Amino acid sequence: MSFLRVMLACLIVVWAMPAAAARPILAVFDIEIRLAKVSPTVRSTLADYLAVQATASGRYQAVPRAQVRRRLRKSRHESYKRCYSTKCQIEIGRQLAATHALNTQIVGMRNKCLLLASIYNLRTALPGSREP
């Protein structure tokens, strides 16, 4: 998998995010890797990149990634890196006073990778929903 392709896909995901009048606060969680070989360093770098791009787009404020990691460690999950479920991320996001959470996965498909990303409204726990 080309690192440049993944970075480009991340940029497209961020620019496709809906604009809102008030900038929502986004908690960006670690990227879940399925059926692909991605090092922990690359996974963390890509998640950091998504958070930076979400902020740079002007559409979101982002909870600092270090703060997300600290909260995950404090929550006493078996391993903070295993908080990939929507339920876990919604719970942690609310504890961080975020309004939205970004759940991202990289899925290996033969010789290609798919980047899947969903933004959840933490008040409604629904993907893609916005406040009226």
Side-chain angles (χ1 to χ4, degrees):
M1 167 177 42
S2 166
F3 185 73
L4 183 58
R5 283 191 218 171
V6 172
M7 295 297 274
L8 179 60
C10 289
L11 184 60
I12 291 168
V13 166
V14 170
W15 286 106
M17 294 175 182
R23 290 182 9 167
I25 301 169
L26 184 67
V28 178
F29 289 89
D30 285 337
I31 297 172
E32 180 179 7
I33 307 298
R34 293 185 180 180
L35 306 173
K37 294 180 182 179
V38 178
S39 74
T41 302
V42 170
R43 178 186 343 188
S44 180
T45 301
L46 289 173
D48 292 344
Y49 180 76
L50 283 171
V52 167
Q53 289 302 313
T55 302
S57 74
R59 297 172 186 217
Y60 291 92
Q61 300 174 62
V63 175
R65 294 258 309 130
Q67 188 177 346
V68 173
R69 286 189 288 267
R70 276 194 304 274
R71 176 57 70 178
L72 288 167
R73 284 186 192 114
K74 279 185 179 178
S75 70
R76 295 194 178 133
H77 288 281
E78 289 179 55
S79 168
Y80 79 94
K81 292 180 182 176
R82 293 188 185 182
C83 185
Y84 295 129
S85 73
T86 303
K87 182 179 177 183
C88 173
Q89 292 180 355
I90 288 171
E91 177 186 322
I92 298 296
R94 286 177 177 161
Q95 291 173 12
L96 291 165
T99 60
H100 292 74
L102 177 61
N103 175 302
T104 311
Q105 300 171 8
I106 294 177
V107 181
M109 301 287 288
R110 294 188 184 184
N111 62 344
K112 297 182 180 185
C113 288
L114 300 174
L115 179 71
L116 309 172
S118 298
I119 296 178
Y120 287 87
N121 182 319
L122 298 179
R123 289 186 182 94
T124 62
L126 296 174
S129 61
R130 290 198 251 168
E131 299 299 313

